[in-house]
Amino acid sequence: MTSNGIREPSFEIDSALELRLPPPLTSDREEALEALDILHARLLGPLPYFMTIMSPAVNIFTSLNAIYYFGIAQALGLREEIPYGELASRVNVDTSDIRRFLRLAIAYRIFQEPHKNVVAHSAMSRLLVDIPAFNDWIGLVTREMHTASMFCVDAMIKWPGSSDPAQTGFSLARGTESSFFSEMGKHPARASRFANGMTFNSTMPALSPSRLADNLPWTAYSCPKVIVDVAGSQGIVGQELLSKYSGIEQYIVQDSPAVINETLLKVDTHHKISFQSYDFFTEQPNKAADVYLLRLVLHDWPDSKALEILPNQAVAMKSGARLILNEICLPDPGGSISHREQFVSADNIRAIYGSQSDQYDVESFRLSGMRPFCGEGLLTTDGSVWERSRTMIKPTFHKNNLSDLSGFKRSFDQLLSRIPPDGSTIDSQPLLSLMFVDTSTLFLLGHPLGVLGGNAPSSAPVDGQTFLKAWQMSLRSCSIRNSLGLLKFIVPRSESVKQWRIVHDLVDFHIDRAIKGQTHNTQDQHRSLLDIPLQQTKNKMEIRNQIIQGMMASQDTTSILISNIIFLLSRNPAVWQQLRADTASIDLTMFGIEDMRKCKSLSNVLHESLRIFPIFPTLARVSLKDSILPTGGGVHGDRPVFVAAGTRTLSNFYALHRGQDVWGKNVEEFDPSRWHRLQPGPWQFMGFGGGQRACLGQQKALMEASYALIKFGKTFERLESRDGSDWAGEQKLTAKNVHDYGTK
């Protein structure tokens, strides 16, 4: 600290409120604190350590309760040094009593005794004077929460299994038949103390509004316009969000009438913030918001009440609106609460997706949410069903089948025809999405839908544009249902079912044509995915499931990859020119897999894009039985860690691809040349997943993206970015740039 010019910390009255350290020292401090805690426990042993946990907690709460109730900190001047007797007379407390509980507090550095029988403020006791909200938080904890906790077991005995908010330890402690929040509503002073205390609590680093603001996938002007902060107290989260996201036009804070009235009287707020009385056990009145935020709300209520609160918000949500839950969560059994965040480990990824892959599944959390749309298949099942699905569709992805790019070339020429030759600004991402609907349906069904041109079958039940909209809505509903898990019932199914039916009808139409032996592909020689299952089964629903899951696995993959590359190359013109020069001599009429592999600069651009913006940034698995992962345990996270059966693991490839020990210090830069120097292992780069469930369509995606980039290079001298927006991910089943205009 001395070498960094940091003043030695102390508890003298003029000391800083907290020790602020630069980032390198912050991590050292966290590691030291954790090591000291472990050393403390081990040096004492189980029984003495247990006592050190219990005794201080009981005693210090009593002392703090008295300090708060009698206003002792406020009765003592910040620079005063007075006898206990004088302070006792100011607060009308017996001298011997005040001496006892203040000396206990002094043992914890709250107040100090500079001379015998003389009391003065310390840095810690001064906080009760300087920060009124902190003083209210102490009052809330000692007068409300601590007393309620003492009767928690009594409530469990009296009302076993109850989820009634009025049957709690608080109810017994206060001798009331009302819930905590109902009781607060009857007593304005207590409600004010609660609001102030929780506002202060929210400023702690782990709960700070800035932590939420810094981790939202928004930019200053690309953000929701209208936000409703349910039970938002005094609006401090709104203040933080408005300071960071200028594009927010309206921020509505909802809370009880007592809290709202108190806030309007005492708190100066941003001009975009408005306040509204609202009971979240009634239907949400605001129907036009883009985001509904529930921050630190649900943990106050039993599950049965939480399941009342959430649907009341869901019914008000317009299409595209988001519900954000920001909560405190305990780790799963077998996990631990550590001072340090665990790092992403390639060893763990190798275990989950490789050596121990038979111990982890996807069916337990995917199938329920996705079954109504795409049934059982490659993406939703494990075991024998998965094996059968993979065997059924794998021939479609054979090298010989992928080498025929004739259909892709026609669709790409149709895309190029829509790009003005005069250098006008165009939005590439929507065009790519349209093109890949055509190329994917050709690959899967044997006939393009004609959304970019060409002719779809005249008797098809819907046109290509209608299908595309239904397809995108169906993917979105699957993603939402998977994310909600057991709570998926809160999202109305009617609109989703309508979109699913559109997709099903078109796929069934092509299946029927194929079963009847009608020619469905007159232009190309490759086999469509539809050809393969027809040779193995006549079960239309099973065939449909394979087709839809095949499209889910292949359609977005290539379009997102090309879109991301265009985004990166348009911001790195030197790389674009080098790529054009290196691919100028390639004959696209004869282009094949070997040409793609031989062009190193092309391969580097593809892989660097997948490193920076992985199409599948996260993948989840659920452990089928108790197992051990190689790393993640211990003080430094380098020891094995136990994973209990039923634990859901989440692998973050976005973070994996940013490990400086593998990729160097410039991990956030688009630098294809790093692939000349580096050869990451198969579990350090997961562009298309890994192991036996690695993406079957990766060679197809790379082939088509390679052709598109070379063709772009031969057609356009320059790629220019016509906007300054950062890439911001929107994850459904894959992750793409949420800003379509980011690819102009």
Side-chain angles (χ1 to χ4, degrees), residues 161-165 281 298-311 486-487 489:
S162 174
S163 60
D164 187 338
F281 291 112
L298 298 184
H299 71 273
D300 285 330
W301 298 93
D303 291 351
S304 60
K305 292 297 181 181
L307 293 177
E308 292 180 27
I309 295 170
L310 291 173
L486 295 176
L487 293 176
F489 68 87

Side-chain angles (χ1 to χ4, degrees), residues 578-606:
Q578 183 63 52
L579 180 64
R580 291 185 68 241
D582 291 345
T583 58
S585 61
I586 294 178
D587 182 3
L588 286 178
T589 61
M590 304 295 292
F591 183 74
I593 291 177
E594 293 307 316
D595 298 292
M596 175 186 72
R597 291 173 176 169
K598 288 177 183 177
C599 186
K600 188 63 177 174
S601 62
L602 177 62
S603 175
N604 290 349
V605 166
L606 292 168

